[in-house]
Amino acid sequence: MKSNPKKVYVFMLLLLLFGCLWMIYNIHYLKIKQLDPSYPLIIDVSASVDGYLSIKNLLITYIIPLLLFYRFFIEDEHPHIIVRLKSRIDMYRRRTIQVFISSFIFAFSILLINFAAVFLFDRFHFISSNYWNLCLLNLALLTCIYFSIGMLYYFIFDYSNSIIAMAGTFCICFLLYMMKSQLNIAWGPASAANVIDPLLSSGITGYYSLIMIGKELLLSIVMILLGLFAIEKKDFMFGVSDD
């Protein structure tokens, strides 16, 4: 069982990682802001095409850290844990809750760094755009997306092992990104990963963002049902040792 202090350390390292990435991606915009205080920094640091919150980063670059984060935060299926639980459904329910919490923490960490930085360096536009509302909408969407990715990872894991599950999940996320960037598929996780940018530019409305949340919730439910099917078929004689 993973201790709470260790989880706190991992969370702090995650914030440090995203803090460093935010500075790397946005140091150029900060220099412009210093020269021109009226410059709307909020637009460029929230862009979905390139930068810290780009769809490429949210669906490709950050996926490996996300999957490793699951390995740190979610309890392994050790024999004593499996025996203690009453059924496979109990174990699956326990793991699903842990995947959701881990997905929320990871998405929250990404957006918290951007939220704090925009508040610190571009407070006027932060307040005038109701930026915190946009971040809450994006947090709901990104949590659903990462939750679906987490359920996909464990769906593959239940039929194989962690290495194959990580490789398979990454490849599927890469495919989703390519479908959006190259084929311009109208709907999919790639389209919903960053809604702050289109909301700031009036590319979409708040009502449409709620529809997107509904679609991602539906996808999450589908992934839960698929995972439930997989856990019923899983052979724990092999699954326990796969790590």
Side-chain angles (χ1 to χ4, degrees), residues 45-65:
V45 301
S46 303
S48 60
V49 176
D50 189 27
Y52 177 75
L53 289 182
S54 69
I55 295 173
K56 180 180 178 180
N57 280 338
L58 293 174
L59 272 187
I60 298 179
T61 308
Y62 302 157
I63 292 303
I64 295 300

Side-chain angles (χ1 to χ4, degrees), residues 165-177:
M166 289 185 70
T169 303
F170 180 83
C171 289
I172 291 173
C173 290
F174 181 79
L175 178 62
L176 289 172
Y177 169 73

